[in-house]
Amino acid sequence: MNTTFTIPAHGVAIGANGLSEIQTALVESYYPIRICGAPTGAGKTYAFLQAARSGQFVVFVVPTQALAADIEQTCRKQNVSHRRWDAVESKKLASSGKDVYETRLSDVEELERTGGLLVTTPESLAQVLHGRYFFAGVPLRTSGLLGAADHLVFDEAHTYTERGFGFLSFWLTAIAYRSKIDPNTVKPKLTLLSATHSNLFEEWLKDKDVPPSSWIALDEHITEKPTPNFRWLHGDVQVSVTDVPILDLFFQYGEEKLLKNRRVLLLYDSLWAMLHDLKRLSSNLSAFGITKEEVFVVDAQDKQSAYTLGSESFRSGLEPEEHHRLIIGTSAIEMGVNYPDLTCAFLQPGIDAASLVQRIGRVARGNYRGEIFISSAGNEVPAHIVSMKDLSGIVPIEELRSRLSPLRTIHPTRAKALGSAYWSFLEQQPGHLRDFLVKAHGTLSTTSTPGGLLNAIRAKIKNGRSRHRRELETWLHGIDRALGSLRDFSPTVRVQFGMEANIVEYSRDWMERYVNCRAAVVSDDGVWRFPGPRDQFLRERPEPVIRYALHPFGPPIQIVVDHRPSNSTVQRFLSAPAVQSLSGEDRNLWELIEKFVRETGLLVFQHDDLPPGDSLVI
């Protein structure tokens, strides 16, 4: 497949206040809930930075630590008072001897008083909702945070999939409820931002749990014709789609770009593919007139170390510096991160159209010309790439978005089932939440209370006399643990590649799929220690993994998975021999559990006490 077209330069009109129409609406609209789908570069984040500068307290929720670091850096440059809550900042506080929860309580109190921006991740915000502060003896509650903030903003809202639906649904419900009982003093206003919204919000809102009068959909008016007061979002960008592998594309065209002192992005779909290419890239750098010191790597694993963990040892982390001319990374880069002077990118297609549009939006911010090379190499060309095959000439950004629509699609029935289960999980947390959840939902909706199915299972386990009570309680505990994990992150392990390397945390699933773990020795401290750099142990191709799903009526079920549990793995769980002989009360309980698992697709897995490579990897 070979396609070339140009996205023309485009921008927005600017008002007398220095903001575009959409930026003004985001800050000033009286609607308690705003859904904004403006394109990348439209200044959605900037609007809330200005609100924070003016003395308002903005809680700004972002999906990645890379984006949190990017926004923090912008706050510093623009002299906006700010605080950051994420795992990176927590480790800094702990290493300096400060109490993380006490510090965060002080952050809220100060920002409420002075105004400013609190940038955080869903996981860190969920700690308030899930009662972690309660257990730590720190008096910060969900109601207190909501009462303190003027704005609660979820950036890159398209990244919330079925698994995060309940979390997002809670905040939408909370704001809608507060606006209904006291429409004149709603605080905070809730905003969902994304250049590439999925069908999640449309599906949720059309159930009428949120009164139509409480929300508004906003979009920016984009034009290619500048007016007297105008801000360019992007310059002309030439897009080429080809079936040449990404690194070969870079070798073919990257030299010219780098020799012209242009900043270049090399963006992969998977960490494994990127790591395999880094070694080959390292041996060819001199041909591009670039040194190893001018290369920077951003990915979910090496961000923990100042240098990548393979033999090539490039600089790594979250924030490249001005002298870094070649930036290499994975999907963490695609979401909202802005690298100045980036005018050329070599991209793999991303998981879907939303991912690709986000990646395209990283290039030629402002009024600069840009070039993008998309590699569609692989056994199967993604559907969103196929839909671009006959594009040519000038293709406005809105036409491209329309051509690729739907940019991201989720399973609404499963999302609602998982959301309902999440509300059941919330009802088990300490504090006032149960009363609030019941009252809020009852005020807004005539449908059954969320959490009903899982609550019924809880009651039967608690009040029943099953001889399987221990297995049932263990399974239920695993379900709650899974529901509290908003994005289905697998358990991590501590890993060291070479005796002199840093000890870092890796996804256990990733390690067992892509690394020969039998080469590791597990020390008394639990660290998986490999005798050399990471690239020495990478597999030539990823392997399936055996996982053990906890079962409520018997031993764990062995399941082979290629990536995540599918319908076939769910069916294997439901067909376990242990359920064939159930009768009476246990049979009735199993029928509820079977319905719950079918609707949610939720399996929970045993990971403890299993050595690396020992009957886990096929």
Side-chain angles (χ1 to χ4, degrees), residues 312-586:
E312 69 289 330
S313 192
F314 292 113
R315 283 282 284 119
S316 67
L318 294 174
E319 302 173 53
E321 298 177 15
E322 189 175 339
H323 68 275
H324 291 122
R325 295 168 55 207
L326 176 59
I327 302 171
I328 307 171
T330 54
S331 58
I333 289 178
E334 75 190 33
M335 292 180 285
V337 176
N338 180 27
Y339 297 134
D341 306 318
L342 181 61
T343 57
C344 180
F346 297 85
L347 311 175
Q348 290 188 326
I351 61 170
D352 57 16
S355 177
L356 180 61
V357 169
Q358 290 282 348
R359 293 177 179 199
I360 289 173
R362 300 308 107 211
V363 178
R365 303 286 282 266
N367 192 18
Y368 298 95
R369 293 184 64 84
E371 292 175 274
I372 292 173
F373 300 86
I374 301 173
S375 168
S376 62
N379 295 329
E380 185 176 343
V381 179
H384 60 283
I385 295 295
V386 173
S387 67
M388 299 166 63
K389 65 180 180 180
D390 58 348
L391 292 176
S392 62
I394 302 299
V395 181
I397 186 62
E398 293 300 334
E399 181 180 332
L400 178 64
R401 282 157 53 105
S402 177
R403 169 67 69 96
L404 296 176
S405 184
L407 298 175
R408 177 161 293 169
T409 302
I410 69 160
H411 192 306
T413 303
R414 176 156 293 181
K416 290 169 187 174
L418 283 164
S420 175
Y422 180 76
W423 279 50
S424 173
F425 160 76
L426 288 182
E427 289 181 11
Q428 314 308 310
Q429 308 313 306
H432 64 286
L433 268 181
R434 182 180 178 85
D435 290 343
F436 173 81
L437 292 169
V438 172
K439 188 181 298 182
H441 188 270
T443 301
L444 295 172
S445 177
T446 58
T447 61
S448 59
T449 303
L453 181 56
L454 187 53
N455 283 344
I457 293 171
R458 292 185 197 280
K460 282 187 173 294
I461 292 174
K462 180 180 179 181
N463 300 323
R465 297 180 179 180
S466 173
R467 63 187 179 86
H468 298 280
R469 187 182 184 95
R470 182 175 179 179
E471 293 102 320
L472 285 162
E473 290 179 344
T474 300
W475 173 82
L476 185 58
H477 177 72
I479 290 291
D480 280 338
R481 188 172 63 247
L483 290 168
S485 177
L486 305 176
R487 289 184 280 185
D488 195 18
F489 292 148
S490 75
T492 59
V493 291
R494 297 169 69 217
V495 178
Q496 184 181 37
F497 290 105
M499 298 305 294
E500 303 300 321
N502 290 346
I503 296 174
V504 297
E505 288 189 0
Y506 262 75
S507 158
R508 177 161 189 155
D509 280 1
W510 190 92
M511 287 292 299
E512 293 177 333
R513 193 175 306 282
Y514 296 107
V515 178
N516 178 14
C517 294
R518 292 186 178 91
V521 174
V522 182
S523 304
D524 291 341
D525 56 5
V527 176
W528 295 12
R529 287 190 161 86
F530 291 80
R534 178 180 52 198
D535 50 285
Q536 294 182 9
F537 308 101
L538 283 178
R539 300 180 185 277
E540 282 305 310
R541 56 175 53 87
E543 296 285 351
V545 173
I546 294 177
R547 302 175 76 188
Y548 295 86
L550 297 178
H551 200 281
F553 287 102
I557 304 300
Q558 187 184 82
I559 294 175
V560 180
V561 290
D562 285 323
H563 184 55
R564 290 292 178 201
S566 63
N567 289 336
S568 62
T569 60
V570 168
Q571 187 56 45
R572 177 171 172 76
F573 172 86
L574 295 175
S575 303
V579 304
Q580 305 305 317
S581 59
L582 294 178
S583 60
E585 184 179 309
D586 280 345

Side-chain angles (χ1 to χ4, degrees), residues 231-244:
R231 179 167 61 84
W232 291 102
L233 303 184
H234 292 273
D236 291 337
V237 177
Q238 180 178 290
V239 180
S240 300
V241 185
T242 175
D243 56 7
V244 176

Side-chain angles (χ1 to χ4, degrees), residues 57-211:
F57 177 15
V58 179
V59 178
F60 203 84
V61 189
V62 298
T64 66
Q65 293 169 4
L67 185 49
D70 185 71
I71 292 174
E72 183 181 41
Q73 188 176 45
T74 301
C75 287
R76 290 195 189 105
K77 290 179 179 177
Q78 298 187 12
N79 198 29
V80 175
S81 178
H82 65 279
R83 295 292 185 274
R84 176 177 168 186
W85 290 3
D86 64 7
V88 172
E89 193 61 26
S90 295
K91 288 179 181 178
K92 288 181 182 177
L93 289 171
S95 64
S96 65
K98 296 181 180 179
D99 184 276
V100 173
Y101 298 115
E102 289 285 358
T103 301
R104 290 181 174 178
L105 174 61
S106 298
D107 290 342
V108 172
E109 292 172 343
E110 181 174 349
L111 291 173
E112 181 181 16
R113 185 174 63 255
T114 65
L117 187 136
L118 169 60
V119 59
T120 185
T121 58
E123 286 72 27
S124 290
L125 180 60
Q127 288 185 342
V128 183
L129 189 57
H130 295 173
R132 294 291 295 275
Y133 291 77
F134 178 92
F135 289 120
V138 175
L140 177 60
R141 302 288 185 269
T142 305
S143 57
L145 185 60
L146 288 173
D150 296 292
H151 292 279
L152 174 60
V153 184
F154 290 89
D155 197 15
E156 306 295 345
H158 68 281
T159 61
Y160 291 85
T161 61
E162 293 95 335
R163 189 59 174 265
F165 178 85
F167 177 72
L168 205 58
S169 173
F170 167 82
W171 299 106
L172 285 160
T173 301
I175 301 305
Y177 170 67
R178 290 161 69 96
S179 70
K180 186 164 185 174
I181 62 174
D182 189 2
N184 297 318
T185 58
V186 175
K187 185 180 178 182
K189 302 287 179 61
L190 185 145
T191 303
L192 305 176
L193 299 177
S194 178
T196 52
H197 275 315
S198 70
N199 64 330
L200 172 62
F201 314 113
E202 176 185 340
E203 292 288 344
W204 192 82
L205 292 168
K206 77 179 183 182
D207 279 351
K208 299 181 180 179
D209 285 352
V210 177

